[in-house]
Amino acid sequence: MKTTLKYLACALVALGACTKQLDIAPEGSPSAGNFWKTKEDALKAEAGMYENYNDENFYGRGMFWFINASDDMVTGRNKPEADNIKDFNKNYIGGGYTESQWSMRYAVIKRANDIISNVPGIQMDEGLKKHIIGDAYFNAGLVYFQLAANYGNQKAGVPIVTPDADPAVPVPRAKDVNENYDYIISLFLKAAENLPNFSEMKATDYGKAHKTAAWAYLSKVYLYRKDYANAAKYADMVINSGQHQLLDNFTDVFKAANNWSKEYIWSVVCTPNGGGTGWGSKLPGVMLTNKAWGIYNGWGYYLPTKELYDSFEAGDQRREATILKTGDKFMFFGQERSFTKDAGATSDYQFKKYMEPFSWANPIPSHVNPNGDNGTTDLNVPLMRFAEVLLIKAEAAINISGAGAGDAELNKIRQRAKLQPKSGMTISDLKRERRNELAGEWADRHRDLVRWGDAQATYAKPLHDSNNNVIWPARTFDPNIHDVWAVPQKEIDNGAGVIKQNPGW
């Protein structure tokens, strides 16, 4: 699958000639006329589900602007649309960064639905067939979860487009987000039924879905809907599977050599030089200091805050592994440097987690994309890792049984960070450990603050740089409006009156 993902834009040959990025409609899929006949057709359709992973706004930035709303980071340089998102200003609606999030994810759903409908009828190896079908259920469940968590609440969910839906008929929004979660759970359960364990997969299939990835996301969906018993159940299934464990050193998690380590659950498969452009997430280049001291075209977005830096306990080795501050030593293009901020940067910190590919001497093109406008690397960007499963189990256990119930899981994470174990840890301890372990990742600090009911009070405080200068003023977060993001305006315009905006936006 590593090789397949590099060339997946070429995979859907039924659609015509290969291009770097196909211009697809949300309903895009191979035509049924002369397709869905062979094993090769099934594999091409499976690869096609991953095409949008390469769009810069899918996992590179785009939806990450929503995560940027948190107190962990600020927009690194002047970007009015991004600033409006962070400030919960409805003027961001209709802009370019997030407008495509909805349609790209429904494109994945359509392609997954086509696999679910058509691949069972193909005569092929049954084991391979089950894996492809499981991959489709998993990908549909994953993007539905991303859509539901960001756009759905108790007032309205997101449209549920089933495999037998008529693509010509607009689908209204689900009555609430729990209806979405019920459907998402059913998708992940079917995925788990069909998928192998990661240890049973060939290296050429790495990047395809596997059983414990489905269980891990089941645990997260249940956590979001506050069904803590089932969140703990599926987290335990991952923990007890024997498939995963924490790496000994936190910094090793973010080395390309460990893309498929025991800590891996689900990532964006990345390469620095796929077809000359690179594939996967360009988040490492997006987070790199603007212009990277004249050596590489870093974009300088998503810069850490003093609030994040100060949240780490003394001696927590995750802090220096996560954040660069002025004067910190680090390797860049084979030479030791002392960190300095870009002159125009909002903050004087930078995230360090994704910097390993840039540390090598002459890293282009083996580790870093030759094109700084598309700063992909050989480091897979994690979406879910084993540490988060431990955190989900701990959060669920504390909510069920009270302080101390999550100590076993939290202490595994603390001891890896070279912190002393603690007993009787509370939900406040859990919140800190989740923040410090997953900072700058797709785990989504903003969504955590919203679901915990902490967003309004947190965002009412300004954010600072290392010198305690205010770099982002206090913001007004209305939990009755801003618990979800605005439905993209083009979806409302194209929805024939069926798709309604979230109230207040």
Side-chain angles (χ1 to χ4, degrees), residues 27-154:
E27 299 79 28
S29 63
S31 81
N34 56 1
F35 204 72
W36 307 115
K37 306 294 185 185
T38 67
K39 174 187 74 174
E40 288 71 26
D41 292 342
L43 289 168
K44 290 170 186 174
E46 181 184 32
M49 288 192 298
Y50 291 91
E51 183 202 347
N52 283 331
Y53 276 47
N54 302 316
D55 189 289
E56 71 177 26
N57 285 323
F58 201 80
Y59 284 130
R61 46 177 186 164
M63 193 173 278
F64 209 92
W65 291 113
F66 292 159
I67 299 174
N68 182 61
S70 83
D71 55 338
D72 279 0
M73 62 189 80
V74 294
T75 307
R77 52 195 175 95
N78 182 41
K79 278 288 178 184
E81 182 187 340
D83 294 352
N84 284 330
I85 294 171
K86 188 168 182 69
D87 290 336
F88 311 108
N89 186 330
K90 66 175 63 179
N91 288 337
Y92 91 86
I93 302 172
Y97 293 144
T98 57
E99 190 74 1
S100 62
Q101 297 309 309
W102 184 289
S103 60
M104 284 195 296
R105 282 168 171 77
Y106 275 105
V108 174
I109 290 166
K110 179 64 173 81
R111 291 184 174 188
N113 282 345
D114 285 342
I115 289 171
I116 292 164
S117 296
N118 293 289
V119 168
I122 297 177
Q123 292 186 357
M124 57 184 292
D125 176 81
E126 288 300 316
L128 177 59
K129 179 189 289 188
K130 283 189 66 177
H131 198 168
I132 292 171
I133 293 169
D135 205 10
Y137 279 121
F138 177 86
N139 272 278
L142 178 61
V143 296
Y144 264 127
F145 181 41
Q146 293 166 346
L147 288 164
N150 279 286
Y151 298 107
N153 57 15
Q154 297 308 312

Side-chain angles (χ1 to χ4, degrees), residues 355-402:
M355 288 286 284
E356 189 255 355
F358 298 100
S359 69
W360 301 91
N362 304 312
I364 296 171
S366 56
H367 300 287
V368 174
N369 197 310
N371 180 1
D373 287 336
N374 192 37
T376 57
T377 70
D378 61 346
L379 174 64
N380 290 351
V381 171
L383 302 178
M384 169 77 75
R385 50 190 180 87
F386 185 60
E388 185 173 4
V389 177
L390 293 174
L391 287 161
I392 291 171
K393 170 61 190 302
E395 184 174 345
I398 293 170
N399 275 288
I400 293 170
S401 302

Side-chain angles (χ1 to χ4, degrees), residues 223-242:
L223 184 74
Y224 271 44
R225 70 176 304 168
K226 298 182 174 10
D227 182 342
Y228 299 118
N230 275 310
K233 171 186 173 180
Y234 286 99
D236 275 336
M237 289 171 71
V238 177
I239 293 166
N240 298 327
S241 69

Side-chain angles (χ1 to χ4, degrees), residues 16 19 34 70 99 155 216 226 248 257 304 327 354 427 461 494 499:
T19 59
N34 56 1
S70 83
E99 190 74 1
K155 301 170 187 174
K226 298 182 174 10
D248 291 339
Y354 308 108
I427 199 69
K461 302 173 184 176
N494 294 335
I499 304 297

